[in-house]
Amino acid sequence: ENKEREILKKVIKLDKLKIVVNEKYITNINEDVFTTIIKNGQIVEYRYEQQYPYLLYIEKDLIEHELVIEFSGKILEDKYPMLINKDTIEICLENINKLAICHINVPEILQNSVVVKADVSHDICCGSYQQLISTLKTSVKNHNKYLSRVIHGTFVIEKNVVSRSRKVRMTIYDKAAEMQLKANQEYLDRLSNRDEVAEYFKDKVRFELNLNSMEQIRQHLNIHDTMLHNVLHTEANPIV
């Protein structure tokens, strides 16, 4: 347990990140691939979305003057096992530019973005995922405070509260098995080191804490605001 805590202290890792910044930091939008939203004869928004080979959502809001970018860790491609962290965030953003569907100002986004959603993640080696789940089920004692259930093989535990801003959820799942799902084949086919990535995820179980509001992010990461730099440099251990 102490060893795991020391590992977690080194760097916070995310498997999904949603950021908001000024819309002036996106240019050269390819209108052939972006959806153009028009209201009252005026363009109010440009929107791009894909689910495969990884999640990517880009929205330029001309009314609110906001640029919204959301992506999953698989945007790192061969470096996916490293997840999104302070050392890989620039690679994530540069990989968006490599798609040649738009151009984003990476240095300004790194400096000025606010994080509005984040999935904090940590992988551990586990000999038997099913045995782990059985143990976790019996470990949840206070059912008035926490709800636990298994959904399609994924163990989910969340606070039993009505307020959406306080409904924090932890998911625990067999990452090796998840990587073999059909939905991930397009991603795997793009890799130059597919065997190395598969070897990394062998026997791995992922713990993922879903922080779906700025309030949750501040509270669980122990930061005073959710600027991207503060999120990625926090020393908090929310999964522990």
Side-chain angles (χ1 to χ4, degrees):
E1 181 181 352
N2 289 336
K3 184 177 180 180
E4 285 295 328
R5 287 176 181 270
E6 288 303 314
I7 291 173
L8 282 169
K9 284 180 181 178
K10 291 181 180 179
V11 60
I12 191 167
K13 296 182 178 181
L14 314 173
D15 193 32
K16 190 183 294 181
L17 181 66
K18 185 175 184 179
I19 58 177
V20 178
V21 71
N22 192 288
E23 53 92 10
K24 67 183 178 182
Y25 298 131
I26 183 172
T27 56
N28 299 339
I29 288 176
N30 185 339
E31 296 186 29
D32 291 333
V33 295
F34 274 75
T35 300
T36 303
I37 310 298
I38 300 175
K39 292 183 180 179
N40 299 322
Q42 290 188 327
I43 297 175
V44 297
E45 188 178 305
Y46 292 102
R47 188 183 302 161
Y48 175 84
E49 185 171 13
Q50 68 175 44
Q51 296 295 327
Y52 307 103
Y54 48 79
L55 170 68
L56 176 61
Y57 178 82
I58 306 171
E59 176 188 308
K60 179 178 180 177
D61 189 328
L62 301 178
I63 303 299
E64 299 295 332
H65 303 293
E66 289 181 342
L67 169 61
V68 180
I69 305 176
E70 183 175 14
F71 51 87
S72 62
K74 291 187 181 76
I75 198 172
L76 286 162
E77 298 188 342
D78 290 342
K79 297 182 184 296
Y80 176 45
M82 298 176 68
L83 291 172
I84 304 164
N85 63 65
K86 62 183 179 62
D87 298 316
T88 63
I89 182 61
E90 186 171 353
I91 299 173
C92 296
L93 298 175
E94 291 291 0
N95 281 351
I96 294 176
N97 281 335
K98 288 179 180 179
L99 296 174
I101 60 174
C102 64
H103 182 271
I104 58 174
N105 188 325
V106 174
E108 293 290 351
I109 290 174
L110 289 173
Q111 183 174 348
N112 298 296
S113 291
V114 172
V115 178
V116 295
K117 285 186 180 181
D119 288 352
V120 181
S121 301
H122 183 67
D123 297 332
I124 65 168
C125 287
C126 181
S128 172
Y129 173 70
Q130 292 303 325
Q131 183 177 345
L132 173 63
I133 294 305
S134 296
T135 302
L136 290 172
K137 283 181 181 178
T138 60
S139 298
V140 181
K141 303 296 186 181
N142 189 345
H143 295 282
N144 291 324
K145 188 174 182 180
Y146 296 102
L147 300 175
S148 65
R149 60 196 186 280
V150 177
I151 305 175
H152 304 303
T154 296
F155 185 73
V156 179
I157 180 171
E158 61 186 353
K159 281 189 175 182
N160 185 17
V161 292
V162 176
S163 172
R164 216 174 147 189
S165 65
R166 298 180 62 195
K167 192 178 281 291
V168 181
R169 183 178 70 170
M170 173 90 78
T171 59
I172 304 164
Y173 58 96
D174 186 335
K175 186 60 181 178
E178 188 261 350
M179 290 299 294
Q180 297 305 312
L181 295 176
K182 185 177 180 180
N184 285 319
Q185 291 311 300
E186 184 179 348
Y187 159 73
L188 292 170
D189 289 342
R190 294 167 60 96
L191 302 182
S192 60
N193 63 341
R194 177 171 180 159
D195 291 342
E196 292 178 25
V197 172
E199 181 63 26
Y200 170 81
F201 286 115
K202 183 180 179 181
D203 296 327
K204 289 292 195 308
V205 170
R206 173 157 294 177
F207 285 70
E208 195 166 277
L209 183 67
N210 310 123
L211 304 178
N212 296 314
S213 71
M214 296 171 71
E215 179 184 344
Q216 289 181 2
I217 294 168
R218 287 193 298 268
Q219 177 184 355
H220 289 272
L221 300 189
N222 193 27
I223 51 181
H224 65 277
D225 64 46
T226 67
M227 296 297 293
L228 179 59
H229 179 274
N230 292 339
V231 168
L232 296 179
H233 287 80
T234 181
E235 296 183 356
N237 303 321
I239 289 182
V240 172

